[in-house]
Amino acid sequence: RSSDLKAEFKPESKLFFYKDRAYLNLRNELDVSEVKHKEKLKQVFEDVYSDGENNYELRLGMNSDAKLVLNPNLQNIDFEKFVFYKNQGLYSYQGQPAFWADGKNLFYWERKSKTKKNISSYKSKIKDLKLAFVFDDKILIEKKIIKNIGDFATMEFVGSSVEVVSPCDGNGKSSVKVNYVYYFRDKNALYLYKSGQDGLKKLNVANPKEYTKENFLEKIFRNASFKF
């Protein structure tokens, strides 16, 4: 249709606009009659939008109809302060879910109830270690908060490996069970964290700088003292 060709996609809201109408895609129209400032509309979650003054919930009907509704429970939440964090691992390393920070607290967003589920308060910067996150004197890893015994400023991710706890039985009745093993280093030492542990383990190495992302597997598996 000619109208579809003239629709303008706005990346802030991830919506298409044509004249005074909005679309989730080029087929499904979105009712934005309750939105006060349509030109300022932004998508802050998959089903939550904000126009800078009010926050709206995306509600989908049975017949592909959709509407942005002014939800009283979403007001007084400053979505502009929310910062998104997601680990950089492959699909198999999704032990730490994506989370948000608002300047005071780390939290998960509960989509069904449209509420925040707090993880922890924080005061420092949040440092991304690819598969974990460091803040204050803590590490968020695999949905757990453990004490960081390393140096915040120089802490970095070195690599990870997989420890097979029990193999697949071969007939499809039970799947393989694994623990993930993570390695970090700072200016002082090399550290290990294995799934389920209560904290970091400091490894006995003379020079932690020798362990890099390129060589850590070779060096770690060659070192008998790293057995755990």
Side-chain angles (χ1 to χ4, degrees), residues 31-208:
D31 184 344
V32 291
S33 59
E34 292 189 23
V35 178
K36 188 173 182 179
H37 306 290
K38 299 178 181 61
E39 70 284 357
K40 297 181 179 179
L41 201 59
K42 292 182 180 180
Q43 184 186 54
V44 291
F45 290 104
E46 186 176 351
D47 55 356
V48 177
Y49 291 75
S50 176
D51 64 5
E53 181 177 340
N54 299 308
N55 300 318
Y56 307 86
E57 177 186 352
L58 173 63
R59 293 185 182 174
L60 302 175
M62 297 295 293
N63 300 313
S64 298
D65 54 318
K67 184 175 183 178
L68 289 184
V69 178
L70 190 65
N71 185 334
N73 295 329
L74 293 177
Q75 310 315 310
N76 301 319
I77 300 178
D78 189 355
F79 289 103
E80 294 291 331
K81 292 183 178 179
F82 287 12
V83 180
F84 183 63
Y85 292 89
K86 182 179 181 181
N87 81 52
Q88 301 176 44
L90 300 174
Y91 178 77
S92 58
Y93 281 90
Q94 297 298 313
Q96 175 52 51
F99 66 95
W100 298 78
D102 62 5
K104 294 182 179 179
N105 294 289
L106 310 182
F107 61 92
Y108 302 118
W109 179 254
E110 298 287 340
R111 181 177 176 182
K112 186 174 182 179
S113 62
K114 304 293 186 297
T115 57
K116 296 191 290 186
K117 181 180 179 181
N118 282 338
I119 302 169
S120 174
S121 60
Y122 72 100
K123 294 181 179 179
S124 72
K125 293 182 179 179
I126 300 169
K127 191 170 187 178
D128 186 346
L129 297 183
K130 296 187 181 297
L131 302 181
F133 298 85
V134 182
F135 60 97
D136 297 339
D137 60 348
K138 303 177 181 68
I139 298 178
L140 176 61
I141 186 169
E142 292 192 343
K143 295 185 283 189
K144 289 181 62 176
I145 292 179
I146 62 174
K147 183 175 178 58
N148 179 22
I149 60 175
D151 176 64
F152 180 95
T154 59
M155 196 81 167
E156 60 182 308
F157 174 75
V158 177
S160 61
S161 61
V162 175
E163 177 191 44
V164 177
V165 178
S166 60
C168 176
D169 63 4
N171 57 23
K173 292 184 178 180
S174 64
S175 57
V176 62
K177 294 182 180 179
V178 300
N179 283 329
Y180 296 108
V181 186
Y182 309 81
Y183 299 89
F184 307 95
R185 75 176 188 185
D186 63 12
K187 65 180 181 179
N188 302 312
L190 183 69
Y191 306 92
L192 171 152
Y193 176 79
K194 184 172 71 172
S195 298
Q197 285 185 341
D198 293 328
L200 292 179
K201 176 183 177 181
K202 186 176 179 180
L203 300 176
N204 184 25
V205 299
N207 183 6

